[in-house]
């Protein structure tokens, strides 16, 4: 074999690889475009408002003091849920939310790292002491959902969950102070 | 040489002993979580077991296997004695002392913090100090690998470093870079907290530093499998490596791109803004490049082998491949698992889609498929290939080897397919037991039982694996000499300096790390987040 065919063959190998690498580039560019497009046009973003809060004084006063926890409907009709994730429970243990209306969920932890999701929805966030975790969502099915702690937070972690009661308009009735609690059953 | 073989075997046997124990614990954990395990074990025992399983698989199996394999490659690929053998044994015993410290603290219930140990939850200080010793042992290994390559280059000026060694050093350099994150977290935050020197800890900073290590560590575990793909498998299949250059590019990309992406593990965390998550998500997309390049090059290499054996047509060569050889079978099965796992990884990477699966069984399924599936099956293949050289004895029959690989593949698929499904249903992770009386959870029961069956199959495979290696030590057949590493179709005579060393790439890593982690870490110094009280589990 002379040198020339070897060189041609080597170049052909390089050619196939560059072609493949180009295909890989196109594939990745396409995947990223979908992600970027949905992020920009449909506000599909992870929960990231970077809001600091002192875990040591969380329960003493302010937003996460006990009387502020639970569901509140503001004068403008906006629904906000505040809850604390603590070893080994959520406060409150049951969260009332309206069906088909925007809801803002806000969580904080006074002790260790927790996390939560609501089964069958896109609600999913870590709760890191020192920060407020905020999630915006809309519940589209009227049923009772599970809200477990999904980050290991100590030996009682498995027992840590809350329920989410999704209420239709006739059930979701705020009291005079704008507060809504779970229906007693 | 005998001494180096003993060094390699010592590392491998520690790795596989830990692996076997971890498999037993893993199967037990699946039983506890299933509808059959309602009253089996306490949460204390469960989380102790999860911690031991994670530490044994992620730190002991991987670190010891990689070190042993690295020493083997340095001696066989460079064909010169290992520099600093004394140091290698010293690092081995230091890591063993570390493992014993970890073991004692875990078994006495003083370290049930899982292997990812997220503060402010803290274990006994001896747990972390033991882990630091294991990492420090691996640092000695990194230095020895770099020294071995440098000495070879000095004696062989202008020649390309053999690909197997080039890749091993790429892994060592990457590991030195990536362990800085967790080392800083342990030395400056977690160990002082667990010793009681400080009472509070910045949890957001600790998670950020851990994320620095968290993704690249998976590539540390993965690279030996890729070394096998490029340098051992083409020869085992009876072919040649399609392109040596692509191999070098792949390992350089692993070094450069596996580091500045760890924040995608923090996609659902509140302490980082969307912009930074977005940048790291974009960079994450690039870590798929080396894998996609590898799939092409290795498939092309296998095609050469298949055609040399008479395969015709577009796909005819696949059937002609020597599937009866364990290394080839493992590669085929590994590629299938890598395919499924890689698809799952794309979902995890999805900047918004991640909310669907974060901290659910989907994630557990994804990394068991990628690491436990495609990587560990290649660890098996490597062990089967090099064990004859280490012991000087040949496998009496390849049947049990093939059976073991098939069991591992079937077990892994049967276990992880239900986990993916359960994850999409919202089954969350790290739970000691489920309340199957709840109507939502009751529907999961049958799927959990299917995955438990997969767990038993995996355990059977693990036992067969250790048996296959153990009986080789007493095999009567002396080993037949044969080459280990594949030749490239066009073996390189000269390669550019950039493809023969890491100086330039280290600069690029530094730049990318500053870009990706500079502000996200600096923010904790510029505006410290309120610290959390330390919670000790011991
Ligand atoms: Cu919790």
């Amino acid at each position: 074999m002379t040198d020339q065919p070897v060189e041609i063959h080597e170049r052909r190998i390089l050619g196939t690889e560059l072609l493949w690498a180009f295909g890989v580039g196109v594939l990745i560019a396409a995947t990223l475009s979908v992600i970027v497009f949905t992020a920009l046009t449909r506000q599909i973003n992870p929960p990231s408002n970077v809001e600091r809060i002192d875990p040591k004084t969380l329960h003493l006063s302010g937003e996460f003091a006990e009387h502020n926890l639970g569901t509140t409907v503001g004068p403008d009709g906006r629904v906000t849920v505040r809850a604390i994730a603590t070893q080994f429970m959520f406060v409150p243990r049951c969260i009332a939310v309206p069906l088909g209306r925007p809801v803002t969920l806000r969580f904080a932890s006074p002790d260790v790292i927790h996390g939560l999701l609501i089964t069958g929805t896109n609600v999913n966030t870590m709760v890191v002491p020192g920060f407020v975790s905020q999630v915006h969502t809309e519940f589209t099915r009227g049923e009772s959902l599970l809200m477990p702690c999904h980050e290991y937070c100590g030996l009682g972690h498995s027992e840590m969950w809350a329920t989410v009661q999704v209420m239709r308009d006739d059930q979701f009735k705020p009291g005079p102070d704008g507060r809504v609690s779970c229906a007693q059953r | 040489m005998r001494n180096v073989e003993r060094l390699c075997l010592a590392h491998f046997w520690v790795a596989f002993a830990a692996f076997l124990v971890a498999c037993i614990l893993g199967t037990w954990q699946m039983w506890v979580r299933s509808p059959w395990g309602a009253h089996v074990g306490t949460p204390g025992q469960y989380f102790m077991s999860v911690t031991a399983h994670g530490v044994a698989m992620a730190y002991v199996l991987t670190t010891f296997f990689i070190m042993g394999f690295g020493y083997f490659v340095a001696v066989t690929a460079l064909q010169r004695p290992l520099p600093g053998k004394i140091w290698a044994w010293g690092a081995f015993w230091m890591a063993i002392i570390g493992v014993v410290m970890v073991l004692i603290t875990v078994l006495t219930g003083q370290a049930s913090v899982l292997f990812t140990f997220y503060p402010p939850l803290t274990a006994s200080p001896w747990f972390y100090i033991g882990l630091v010793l294991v990492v420090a042992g691996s640092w000695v290994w990194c230095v020895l690998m770099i020294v071995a390559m440098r000495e070879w280059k000095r004696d062989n000026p202008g020649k390309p470093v053999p690909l197997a060694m080039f890749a091993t050093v790429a892994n060592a350099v990457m590991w030195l870079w990536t362990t800085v994150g967790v080392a800083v977290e342990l030395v400056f935050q977690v160990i002082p907290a667990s010793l009681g020197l400080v009472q509070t800890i910045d949890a957001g900073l600790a998670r950020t530093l851990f994320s620095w290590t968290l993704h690249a560590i998976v590539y540390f575990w993965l690279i030996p499998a890729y070394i096998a793909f490029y340098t051992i498998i083409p020869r085992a299949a009876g072919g040649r490596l399609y392109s040596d250059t692509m191999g070098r590019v792949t390992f350089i990309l692993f070094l450069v791109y596996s580091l500045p992406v760890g924040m995608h593990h923090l996609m659902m965390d509140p302490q980082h803004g969307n912009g930074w998550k977005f940048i790291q998500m974009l960079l994450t997309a690039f870590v798929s490049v080396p894998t996609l390049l590898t799939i092409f090059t290795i498939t092309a290499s296998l095609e050469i082998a298949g055609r040399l054996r008479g395969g015709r047509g577009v796909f005819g060569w696949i059937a002609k491949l020597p599937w009866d050889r364990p290394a080839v079978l493992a590669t085929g099965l590994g590629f299938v698992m890598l395919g499924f796992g890689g698809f799952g990884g794309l979902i995890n990477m999805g900047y918004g889609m991640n909310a669907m699966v974060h901290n659910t069984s989907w994630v557990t399924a994804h990394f068991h498929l990628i690491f436990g599936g495609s990587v560990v099956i290649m660890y098996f293949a490597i062990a089967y290939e090099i064990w004859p050289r280490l012991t000087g004895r040949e496998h009496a029959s390849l049947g049990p080897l093939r059976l073991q690989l098939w069991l591992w593949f079937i077990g892994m698929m049967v276990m992880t397919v239900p986990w993916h499904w359960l994850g999409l249903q919202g089954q969350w992770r790290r739970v000691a037991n489920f309340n199957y009386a709840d109507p939502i959870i009751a529907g999961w029961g049958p799927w959990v039982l299917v995955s438990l069956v997969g767990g038993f199959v995996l355990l059977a495979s693990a036992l067969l694996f250790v048996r296959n290696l153990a009986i080789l030590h007493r095999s009567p057949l002396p080993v037949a000499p044969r080459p280990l590493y594949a030749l490239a179709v066009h073996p390189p005579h000269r390669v550019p300096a950039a493809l023969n060393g890491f100086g330039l790439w280290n600069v690029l890593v530094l730049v990318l790390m500053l870009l990706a982690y500079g502000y996200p870490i600096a923010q904790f110094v510029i505006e410290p987040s309120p610290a959390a009280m330390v919670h000790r589990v011991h």
Side-chain angles (χ1 to χ4, degrees):
Chain A
M1 208 158 43
T2 62
D3 265 6
Q4 213 183 359
V6 171
E7 213 167 87
I8 291 171
H9 189 235
E10 243 182 309
R11 213 170 293 154
R12 197 179 302 152
I13 284 186
L14 188 67
T16 57
E17 275 165 349
L18 289 178
L19 192 67
W20 173 263
F22 177 73
V24 166
V26 170
L27 184 77
I28 289 171
T31 312
L32 286 179
S33 329
V34 173
I35 294 171
V36 172
F37 181 77
T38 52
L40 293 179
T41 62
R42 302 189 54 198
Q43 277 79 48
I44 295 182
N45 294 305
S48 322
N49 57 326
V50 198
E51 192 182 330
R52 293 172 165 83
I53 193 165
D54 192 343
K56 298 186 284 297
T57 55
L58 194 65
H59 56 290
L60 298 180
S61 63
E63 189 184 345
F64 288 93
E66 192 158 4
H67 62 274
N68 276 332
L69 300 177
T71 310
T72 316
V73 183
D76 52 353
R78 294 184 58 87
V79 183
T80 307
V81 176
R82 293 184 182 83
I84 280 185
T86 183
Q87 285 176 322
F88 296 106
M89 58 180 183
F90 288 101
V91 187
R93 286 168 179 272
C94 180
I95 290 170
V97 293
L99 177 69
R101 277 169 64 184
V103 179
T104 300
L105 302 144
R106 287 170 64 79
F107 305 95
S109 160
D111 43 46
V112 301
I113 296 176
H114 302 272
L116 62 95
L117 57 77
I118 302 180
T119 49
T121 73
N122 65 347
V123 176
N124 195 331
T125 186
M126 299 298 299
V127 186
V128 178
F131 295 88
V132 177
S133 304
Q134 178 170 286
V135 185
H136 303 285
T137 194
E138 210 176 290
F139 294 88
T140 53
R141 282 176 303 172
E143 54 192 319
S144 177
L145 305 168
L146 277 178
M147 188 177 93
C149 172
H150 67 38
E151 185 57 89
Y152 175 70
C153 54
L155 296 184
H157 162 62
S158 320
E159 304 304 318
M160 182 169 167
W161 77 86
T163 37
V164 175
Q165 228 175 74
V166 187
M167 299 172 163
R168 288 187 307 276
D169 274 349
D170 56 326
Q171 298 165 305
F172 192 78
K173 291 265 165 55
D177 51 353
R179 308 188 54 84
V180 191
S181 329
C182 285
Q184 299 297 319
R185 275 192 270 194
Chain B
M1 273 290 272
R2 291 308 312 177
N3 197 11
V4 170
E5 279 143 15
R6 211 171 316 136
L7 180 71
C8 295
L9 280 173
H11 281 84
F12 286 140
W13 272 119
V14 172
F16 293 137
F19 164 74
L20 187 60
V21 172
C23 284
I24 295 168
L25 293 176
T27 313
W28 179 78
Q29 286 154 218
M30 293 175 65
W31 181 33
V32 173
R33 284 162 61 103
S34 77
W36 293 342
H39 303 292
V40 182
T42 62
Q45 289 162 346
Y46 180 82
F47 290 115
M48 181 194 294
S49 172
V50 175
T51 307
H53 173 87
V55 167
M57 286 295 197
Y59 300 143
V60 186
L61 164 67
T62 51
T63 310
F64 279 85
F65 180 86
I66 292 164
M67 288 165 74
F69 187 44
Y71 294 135
F72 178 83
V73 169
V75 171
T76 52
L78 300 182
Q79 296 189 324
R80 65 202 307 283
L82 185 70
K85 224 174 288 172
I86 300 274
W87 285 92
W89 276 112
F92 173 78
W93 286 111
M94 178 159 66
I96 289 285
I97 292 169
V99 170
V100 170
M101 281 162 68
V102 169
L103 196 71
I104 291 172
T105 50
V106 171
L107 290 183
T108 51
Q110 300 175 66
S112 295
V113 290
L114 312 194
F115 77 111
T116 41
F117 50 89
Y118 289 125
L121 219 53
T122 52
S124 153
W126 300 109
F127 173 75
Y128 304 110
I129 294 169
L131 290 177
V132 169
L133 287 182
V134 175
V135 172
S138 71
W139 283 343
V140 174
W141 171 84
C142 292
V143 172
L144 289 177
M145 292 299 104
I146 293 168
V147 169
M149 184 174 94
R150 189 162 293 168
E151 287 185 357
W152 184 91
K153 274 171 112 170
R154 194 190 56 216
D155 296 349
N156 299 273
K159 282 202 202 157
V161 178
L163 183 58
M165 191 60 193
F166 183 78
T168 301
V169 176
N171 205 11
V173 173
M174 195 265 289
W175 185 236
L176 286 174
W177 270 102
T178 198
T179 40
V180 171
V182 71
V184 169
E185 185 202 0
L186 285 175
V187 172
F188 293 103
Q189 288 196 286
V190 177
I191 292 177
S194 71
L195 284 171
L197 300 177
V198 294
Q199 301 309 322
T200 61
I201 201 161
D202 187 332
L205 174 60
R207 268 178 82 74
T208 306
L209 289 172
F210 196 78
S211 81
W212 169 337
T213 302
L214 192 54
H215 196 73
I217 199 173
V218 182
Y219 287 90
F220 175 61
W221 307 337
L222 192 100
I223 286 180
Y226 279 62
I227 295 176
F229 285 154
Y230 278 97
T231 67
I232 294 178
I233 300 309
R235 201 273 312 144
R240 282 190 163 207
L241 174 61
Y242 189 63
S243 163
D244 181 88
T245 309
M246 247 344 151
R248 285 167 200 271
V249 170
T250 295
F251 292 109
I252 288 168
L253 286 174
F254 273 133
L255 164 64
V256 172
Y257 277 112
S258 60
L259 275 146
V261 303
M263 214 193 271
H264 66 228
H265 292 256
L266 306 184
M267 214 81 102
M268 296 297 130
D269 274 40
Q271 73 272 25
H272 293 293
N274 261 321
W276 298 104
K277 291 179 181 177
F278 201 76
I279 287 173
Q280 295 220 2
M281 186 276 297
L282 293 179
L283 290 170
T284 300
F286 289 100
V287 292
S288 58
V289 173
T291 293
L292 291 168
L293 293 181
T294 301
I295 286 172
F296 179 76
T297 305
I298 300 313
T299 307
S301 308
L302 290 176
E303 182 181 347
I304 293 171
R307 297 210 184 278
L308 283 174
R309 295 167 65 90
R312 307 242 172 280
V314 182
F315 296 112
W317 57 271
I318 297 175
K320 290 283 187 194
L321 283 173
W323 293 112
D324 57 325
R325 296 182 195 167
V328 179
L329 178 63
T331 304
L333 299 177
F335 268 25
V336 174
M337 292 189 281
L338 194 62
F340 281 103
F343 172 74
L346 283 178
I347 307 286
N348 301 345
M349 182 195 84
Y351 174 69
M353 273 190 290
N354 190 271
M356 219 160 51
V357 294
H358 174 78
N359 259 354
T360 67
S361 300
W362 172 283
V363 177
T364 325
H366 164 70
F367 73 74
H368 275 80
L369 207 47
I370 291 276
F371 173 67
S374 46
V375 172
V376 168
I377 208 168
M378 292 313 292
Y379 285 11
F380 297 152
I382 292 169
Y384 286 151
E385 279 295 308
I386 71 180
W387 224 259
R389 281 157 200 279
L390 295 172
T391 59
R393 295 155 204 270
E394 206 70 81
H395 299 284
S397 152
L398 297 182
L401 277 57
R402 288 194 296 269
L403 175 66
Q404 187 265 325
L405 295 170
W406 272 111
L407 286 177
W408 192 257
F409 172 73
I410 293 166
M412 200 49 84
M413 294 304 281
V414 172
M415 180 174 81
T416 57
V417 169
W419 283 0
H420 277 104
W421 175 247
L422 288 165
L424 289 177
Q425 306 295 305
Q427 188 194 63
W428 53 101
R429 267 171 85 174
R430 297 169 172 159
V431 178
N433 40 58
F434 285 106
N435 172 20
Y436 287 95
D438 185 286
I440 295 176
I441 295 175
W444 300 346
W447 291 99
V448 175
L449 289 175
V450 171
S451 68
L452 175 61
V453 172
F456 282 121
V457 176
L458 288 171
L459 181 58
S461 174
L463 289 165
L464 183 55
F465 171 68
V466 171
R467 172 203 165 268
N468 284 345
L469 291 184
I471 61 168
L472 193 65
H473 285 271
R474 284 190 313 260
S475 163
L477 302 167
V479 73
R482 59 170 178 272
L484 177 72
Y485 298 108
L487 281 175
V489 175
H490 298 289
H493 303 297
R494 228 159 30 85
V495 293
L499 295 183
N500 209 33
F502 299 97
L504 168 69
W505 306 113
N506 278 322
V507 177
L508 191 57
V509 172
L510 181 66
V511 171
L512 281 172
M513 284 304 280
L514 282 173
L515 173 77
Y517 272 104
Y519 179 79
I521 289 178
Q523 70 164 345
F524 294 101
V525 182
I526 297 166
E527 189 186 344
S529 48
M533 295 299 293
V534 171
H535 279 249
R536 295 185 176 79
V537 300
H538 55 104

